[in-house]
């Protein structure tokens, strides 16, 4: 072999395996879109809630809330958002600095902070005049900020970072952290025994969900069939108004109590669908779709069992803040949901069935949260189902 | 099944006519450019050789010879030349004497003589001309055109989909060499015993479609299908599914389904070999990407890529990556000394790399959604990274067609396709 060529050395290039181009969607962009969607919902809700003081003058005197800060409900939401996002981003940054193998995911932490904020319950309904009904310290400033901060901190540290180290996240971090932190209040926050007592027991004269539900005007009291819709109006109405808003208005447009993320059902639906479209098929939309279908079907089954009106049950099960927000922003969390299309459908259907069962039989408002945690735990099993047959086999 | 859309990015290239690129001063011809057995050089340093002279070959059945693209003197034979391919080979360096003396081994036949020419003679000619699948696979065409005697070939598909983004060389052949393609199709048709012919192209090739319909319209048993095919459907099996509806089992060859798929550029090379007596010593390649002007160049095999970049005023100081043979399935060159090969369907220049930094999987399942052969890429990838190859095989790792779609869509920049491809080979 001769070596008479002394060609000028050509520049070394970047060698990498194919493909040499990649799609526009990145993890950060997906997080950015989600963050933007959640911010829109936060701001809309804050604006809708701004004119409502929490607690009201009446509540201060009647409930003895002299230690609570009186703040606009919208401001409580915004401060909560700042606190939750700040805590999440801060802890993420610190963990990233301390643990060498942990990535700093600012955008992901910020999204987590907002989900914590929006999956928290706010607002003191007029019903809270009955003193032993609500865990008021979790709903009024300044303690509400401490709870939000605690959920955000524990959620990020334990359920995001520690679970992440285990290689797979088993439960939705925001849902698990909220459940853990509010566990001491389980009987009042989640299992609202007194909140929606059996009408035969007296109390608030509100029908159980494991019974017939119906429409009725507000004046009707103890009639279980008639008063379910009026009770929802009482629970969710603008407390600054003399008369409660219509049932359509609270369930579709603005609720003044419950999960901030679900305060305006219409806003969540529009923003949620916009995010699905914007994110192309990077969000597991099948879960959301089948969840709603399953909730409707289960509501019909429950109506079949207990009688009453199907529509009011469907409206309640779908548009309660926990259901509508969770369906779009928590049930679709990629890390804690199935891989396959069939698996996602099973997950969505299971989530809907469990939500309705939990809300009906445990009187667990916000039952979607517990249903989600249970369904999350089944994902490793569901992932074995629905593996497709490859092309030609 | 919906296929992931990948932007074509060939708006200018597809409108730009083929331009003949001057012969190189020094050609570097790899002795091994096909899939199959390695060739050995047939020439020695100091030999004077002609254009089209066979310079490397093998006695193995699955092999394909290479020829000199220029006339001149063999100045060097490198035993192991590091090109972009997995297997290195020797390379023959030829200094151009500018005399353009031609080797006359392959004598052209006229169109009228085709009928009386024996099929064996045609297949032998295709082999001696060094023709391999120019769509990227590089499989010797003479082997592909010699299915077992009991295989009845019902369909010949001319794959004119050219799904690779940026690439437009095939599209220009469809527009500018349509008559030549017709001649090539007639040869292949004769070899395969007169099957039906389907020219499969994409609806986006708006200039090519009328030309194809005009030239192929009067051919018996021939249809031009201009479908809304996506990139992935350029795969022979996926294309047959789109055209005929059946799925070829991964354990079967196309011919067992009664179908042979040939790329446009291969058909063009067959026509040149049969009717011009020209072995495969040049091809059309698209120059695209971060270049001042996208082009389609008729270039001699063995031309250093550097020559092409220099002649097209590309500032090498800015260039980060040069990809040959398609950005989805092709290879990144280690340096620009590397020559054009038979498989260089395009030369794509990037001033910055276009892939994402790798981060942890977020379980979005997009790779599963978009796999055109219905695999679970992330599950296979996880099994491979845990060295659980048994599980990877159970997940049908070997069915992967390495189209790269999973890596392309991954928001975390995971090297799914290349990991599976590398593991498949072992």
């Amino acid at each position: 072999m001769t070596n008479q060529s002394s060609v000028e050395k050509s520049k070394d290039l970047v060698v990498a395996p194919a493909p040499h181009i990649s799609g526009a969607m990145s993890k950060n962009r997906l997080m950015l879109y989600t963050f933007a969607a959640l911010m829109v919902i936060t701001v809309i809700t804050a604006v809708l809630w701004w004119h409502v003081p929490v607690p009201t003058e009446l509540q201060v005197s009647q409930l003895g809330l002299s230690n609570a800060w009186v703040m606009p409900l919208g401001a409580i939401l915004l401060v909560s958002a700042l606190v939750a996002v700040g805590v999440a981003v801060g802890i993420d940054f610190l963990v990233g600095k301390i643990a060498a193998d942990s990535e700093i995911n600012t955008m992901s932490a910020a999204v987590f902070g907002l989900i914590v904020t929006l999956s928290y319950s706010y607002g003191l309904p007029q019903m809270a005049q009955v003193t032993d009904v609500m865990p008021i310290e979790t709903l009024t400033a300044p303690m509400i900020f401490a709870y939000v901060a605690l959920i955000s901190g524990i959620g990020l540290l334990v359920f995001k970072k520690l679970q992440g180290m285990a290689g797979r996240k088993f439960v939705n971090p925001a849902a698990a952290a909220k459940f853990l932190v509010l566990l001491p209040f389980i009987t009042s926050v989640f299992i609202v025994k007194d909140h929606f007592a059996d009408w035969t027991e007296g109390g608030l004269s509100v029908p159980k969900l494991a019974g017939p539900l119906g429409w009725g005007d507000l004046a009707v009291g103890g009639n279980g069939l008639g008063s379910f819709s009026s009770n929802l109006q009482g629970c969710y109405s603008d407390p600054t108004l003399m008369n409660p808003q219509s049932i359509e208005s609270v369930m579709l447009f603005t609720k003044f109590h419950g999960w901030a993320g679900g305060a305006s059902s219409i806003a969540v639906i529009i923003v949620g669908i916009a995010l699905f479209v914007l994110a192309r098929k990077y969000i597991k939309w099948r879960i959301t779709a089948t969840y709603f279908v399953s909730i409707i079907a289960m509501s019909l089954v429950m109506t079949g069992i207990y009688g009453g009106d199907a529509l009011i049950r469907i409206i309640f099960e779908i548009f309660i803040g926990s259901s509508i927000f969770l369906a779009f922003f928590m049930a679709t969390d990629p890390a804690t949901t199935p891989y396959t299309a069939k698996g996602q459908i099973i997950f969505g259907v299971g989530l809907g069935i469990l939500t309705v069962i939990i809300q009906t039989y445990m009187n667990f408002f916000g039952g979607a949260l517990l249903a989600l945690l249970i369904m999350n735990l089944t994902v490793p099993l569901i992932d074995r189902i629905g593996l497709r047959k490859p092309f030609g086999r | 099944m919906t296929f992931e859309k990948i932007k074509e990015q060939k708006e200018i290239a597809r409108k730009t006519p083929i331009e003949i690129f001057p012969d190189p001063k020094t050609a570097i011809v790899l002795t091994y450019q096909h899939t199959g057995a390695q060739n050995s050089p047939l020439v020695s340093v100091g030999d004077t050789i002609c254009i089209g002279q066979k310079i490397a070959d093998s006695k193995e059945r699955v092999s394909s010879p290479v020829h000199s693209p220029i006339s001149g003197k063999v100045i060097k034979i490198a035993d192991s030349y590091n090109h972009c391919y997995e297997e290195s080979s020797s390379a023959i360096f030829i200094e151009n004497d500018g005399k353009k003396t031609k080797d006359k081994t392959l004598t052209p036949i006229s169109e009228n003589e085709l009928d009386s020419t024996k099929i064996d003679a045609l297949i032998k000619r295709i082999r001696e001309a060094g023709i391999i699948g120019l769509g990227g696979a590089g499989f010797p065409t003479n082997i592909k055109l010699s299915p077992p005697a009991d295989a009845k070939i019902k369909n010949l598909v001319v794959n004119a989909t050219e799904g690779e983004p940026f690439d437009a060389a095939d599209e220009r052949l469809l527009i500018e060499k349509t008559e030549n393609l017709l001649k090539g199709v007639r040869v292949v048709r004769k070899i395969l015993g007169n099957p039906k012919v389907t020219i499969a192209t994409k609806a986006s090739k708006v200039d090519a479609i009328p030309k194809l319909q005009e030239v192929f319209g009067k051919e018996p048993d021939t249809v031009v299908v201009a479908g809304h095919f996506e990139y992935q459907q350029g795969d022979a099996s996926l294309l047959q599914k789109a055209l005929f509806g059946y799925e070829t089992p991964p354990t079967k060859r196309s011919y067992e389904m009664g179908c042979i798929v040939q790329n446009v550029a291969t058909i063009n090379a067959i026509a040149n070999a049969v009717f011009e007596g020209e072995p495969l010593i040049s091809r059309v390649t698209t120059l695209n990407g971060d270049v001042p002007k996208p082009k389609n160049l008729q270039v001699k095999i063995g031309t250093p890529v550097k020559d092409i970049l220099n002649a097209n005023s590309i500032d090498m100081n800015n260039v980060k990556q040069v990809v040959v043979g398609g950005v989805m399935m092709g290879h990144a060159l280690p340096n620009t000394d590397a020559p054009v090969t038979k498989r260089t369907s395009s030369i794509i220049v990037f001033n910055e790399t276009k892939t994402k930094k790798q981060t942890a999987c977020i379980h979005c399942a997009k790779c599963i959604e978009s796999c055109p052969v219905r695999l679970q890429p992330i599950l296979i990838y996880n099994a491979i990274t845990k060295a659980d190859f048994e599980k990877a095989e159970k997940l049908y790792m070997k069915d992967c067609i390495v189209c790269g779609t999973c890596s392309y869509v991954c928001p975390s920049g995971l090297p799914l396709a290349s990991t599976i491809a590398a593991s498949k080979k072992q």
Side-chain angles (χ1 to χ4, degrees), chain A residues 1-2 10-11 13-14 17-20 22-23 25-27 282 284 286 334 339 388-393, chain B residues 75 77 247 316-317 319-321 327 330 334-335 354 356 360 362-363 365 368-369 373-374 396 399 408-409 411:
Chain A
M1 188 202 306
T2 58
S10 100
K11 184 180 160 180
L13 300 163
V14 179
H20 306 281
S22 70
M25 188 58 78
S26 67
K27 192 151 112 185
Y282 281 86
K284 294 169 181 167
R286 286 187 192 91
Y339 278 126
R388 299 174 301 176
K389 274 258 171 261
F391 186 91
R393 284 195 187 264
Chain B
I75 53 168
I77 297 178
E247 293 192 357
M316 278 311 297
N317 292 322
V319 175
K320 273 257 160 57
Q321 193 169 54
V327 292
N335 59 62
K354 301 283 166 98
K356 290 181 198 99
I362 60 167
H363 298 231
I368 296 175
E369 295 266 326
V373 290
R374 303 192 298 264
Y396 301 103
D399 289 9
Y408 176 87
V409 299

Side-chain angles (χ1 to χ4, degrees), chain A residues 308-328:
Chain A
D309 187 77
L311 187 62
I312 186 67
R313 200 183 282 271
I314 292 171
I315 287 175
F316 168 75
E317 298 283 6
I318 286 187
F319 295 122
I320 181 175
S322 53
S323 270
I324 194 83
F325 179 74
L326 184 138
F328 282 98

Side-chain angles (χ1 to χ4, degrees), chain A residues 98-346:
Chain A
I98 296 164
D101 58 338
S102 181
E103 288 175 36
I104 295 179
N105 282 319
T106 304
M107 212 60 222
S108 166
V111 164
F112 171 75
L114 277 188
I115 289 179
V116 165
T117 310
L118 293 173
S119 63
Y120 195 84
S121 283
Y122 300 79
L124 276 181
Q126 288 299 0
M127 277 175 30
Q129 287 163 14
V130 184
T131 47
D132 60 356
V133 168
M134 310 289 295
I136 284 168
E137 63 268 38
T138 67
L139 294 175
T140 48
M143 281 311 285
I144 189 170
F145 305 133
Y147 283 107
V148 168
L150 200 59
I151 295 173
S152 186
I154 289 180
L156 199 110
L157 209 54
V158 177
F159 293 107
K160 261 178 101 75
K161 292 291 173 188
L162 277 182
Q163 272 201 113
M165 277 165 63
R168 157 149 220 173
K169 291 193 182 88
F170 291 96
V171 284
N172 182 298
K178 180 181 177 182
F179 195 72
L180 191 68
V181 169
L182 295 186
L183 209 54
F185 304 104
I186 186 147
T187 53
S188 46
V189 177
F190 295 124
I191 305 174
V192 271
K193 181 169 157 287
D194 305 310
H195 203 154
F196 272 63
D198 185 342
W199 66 276
T200 57
E201 288 174 12
L204 286 169
S205 304
V206 172
K208 283 201 301 190
L209 284 161
L213 303 181
W215 305 86
D217 67 52
L218 210 65
V220 181
N223 178 335
L225 187 63
S227 62
F228 186 70
S229 68
S230 14
N231 186 264
L232 292 181
Q233 286 169 269
C235 177
Y236 292 131
S237 268
D238 182 345
T240 63
L241 296 179
M242 288 301 288
N243 292 312
Q245 293 151 275
S246 70
I247 184 79
E248 296 83 4
S249 166
V250 290
M251 297 314 282
L252 286 177
F253 294 98
T254 321
K255 296 188 266 309
F256 289 86
H257 175 54
W259 287 29
S264 175
S265 301
I266 289 289
V268 174
I269 293 168
I270 293 172
V271 173
I273 291 175
L275 177 63
F276 285 1
V277 172
L278 200 63
R280 303 282 311 275
K281 283 185 183 163
Y282 281 86
I283 298 178
K284 294 169 181 167
W285 58 274
R286 286 187 192 91
I287 294 174
T288 308
T290 49
Y291 174 66
F292 287 135
V293 171
S294 154
I295 283 217
I296 292 170
M298 276 303 285
S299 301
L300 293 174
V301 168
M302 289 299 170
T303 309
I305 295 173
Y306 296 108
D309 187 77
L311 187 62
I312 186 67
R313 200 183 282 271
I314 292 171
I315 287 175
F316 168 75
E317 298 283 6
I318 286 187
F319 295 122
I320 181 175
S322 53
S323 270
I324 194 83
F325 179 74
L326 184 138
F328 282 98
F329 292 99
M330 294 171 81
T332 54
D333 168 35
T336 52
T337 48
Y339 278 126
T340 64
K342 212 179 265 177
Q344 289 161 27
I345 291 168
I346 293 171

